[in-house]
Amino acid sequence: MSGKSELIYACRRRQPSVNGGGKDCPCWFSQCFILPFANLLRRASLIICTLLVSQLVVGIAPIATASQTEKVKLSIDVSKPGPKIDRNLFGQFAEHLGHGVYEGIWVGPDSNIPNTRGIRNDVVAALKAIKVPNVRWPGGCFADEYHWRKGIGPQRVVTLNPNWGGVIESNAFGTHEYMDFLDQIGAEAFLSLNVGSGTPQEAAEWLEYLTTTQPTTLGKERAANGHPAPYKIAYLGIGNESWDCGGNMTPDYYLSQLKIYSRFARNFNPAQQGNNQMLKIAVGPGGNEPRFIEWTEAVMKAWQNRQWSWDLQGLSLHNYTVVSWDHKLASVGFGESEYSRILKATLEMEGLVSKYSGIMDKYDPQKNIALVVDEWGSWYASLPGANPGFLVQQNSIRDAILAALNLNIFARHADRVRMANIAQMINVLQAMIMTNKEKMVLTPSYYVYKLYLPFQDGSFVPVDFNAGVYTHGEISLPRLDAIAAKDSSGKLWLGITNLDPNRSSDIEVTVAGLTPKKAIGQTLTAPKVDSVNTFESPNTVVPKAISAKVEGGMLTLKLEPKSVTVISVEQ
Ligand code: AHR
């Protein structure tokens, strides 16, 4: 925000509230004339304004601190709704990794922890409350070593999990348990196929087992295992990071695999033959390196020249927020320096999404292929004492801000980014939920997903604003971020994030095409940049009510430092 506008706002904020209304300096002067001691007041006001103007002229900072003076104007035009913000942008990822599945979801039917067919009830209730649209499973790197037959039937095959801590994999949580879990939370299936160490036959048989209505041997086996009706598989990932942990493939090698798997992993569910087809998602880029640009070009070019026998509907993008893979930052006990470094790093998502959307536009200008950000989130150093292969980290208000910034980026690219899965849902990396035996705690990131519920399947509405700047040392970031959307009932919602951990922000919102009467919502903030929820203190970072003042069709509200706020605007 320019120094000039700061001065104007300073003038407005400093006037006494004569007749109750907010007025600019000139009106204030005239009102002052009719008050006792008018000359004295006038002289004082002239001195203040002269001082401020002199500062503008010589270009030095105003006397008042920025927190007292800065206002940000947001303007929304509801007559210009954009693309749908697909509810799948709020997807989750659950890998067989640490306590992500075992203990996080699965405790077994004999556990003392309240459960339904082995799946913990507290976790199900918490996930239902954020309307999880889909859950990607079983990995991750784990997927390329997963053999589905070991996880069905009464006798499970016990194997190892060499990727993640080398621990025993009991296979107690397999296909049926995953589908049951989805059913309990009301989410759709997003299976990740084993392309690395599996075969097209194994994948084809898994899909037949899951989806056929015919009395084939596999169909009958599914029924014998408790599910006579075919399952619906909404999304199918063909491999995971095949350029790395998924088999270190070259783009050409992966493409030959992709075509085979896309052809033969068929979905036979009669309900999924028309508009409701299973969407196939190819491995895409994993960062900014030239090899990922080459990879993306190769996959998209092959798709453009495809023959009838194979197809794709999505291209994956993986991107974690990590300042240095060799020296990962801590997830607790950090200060403003680490706060600002992580937020700077996370904003790189915008560049990646723009870059890969641009490449996709070349081969798919109609935007048939979705960019699916199916692994994203913060990646910090493991908590001391935890198995380093379990990727256990705490989740602070910093992660809540990070989540909101990324969700906003996806929403702004909603025409291309139609699915995203935060890594990972429970107990791993940037988790929604943490558990310890019978205890469960909801993280600050969880609450962002809760605040953002109205944006699921909303129509994106552009917001114009001057973000201002938050500076810490060498790092300068936008001070604010905002998105808006209309929900299915036509109600307008505004999400605003104040990145600045030190200064509150005064916001003025005008809405063209709508006369606001009321604006209420919730805000999430915390005492410190590293504030977390723990099993002992689960309510340190929880949303609280907020309402805007509405006057003359304009909304004004004060955002707390380091906060995420969502309000509905009612007319
Ligand atoms: O989410 C943890 C791991 O990160 C996933 O298994 C892998 O796909 C990625 O490298």
Side-chain angles (χ1 to χ4, degrees), residues 93 95 97 140-141 164 240-241 318 320 375 379 391 424 429:
F93 172 36
E95 180 166 16
L97 192 176
C141 299
W164 305 117
N240 171 73
E241 300 191 354
H318 287 186
Y320 286 97
E375 282 189 36
W379 192 317
L391 310 185
Q424 296 192 6
L429 298 175

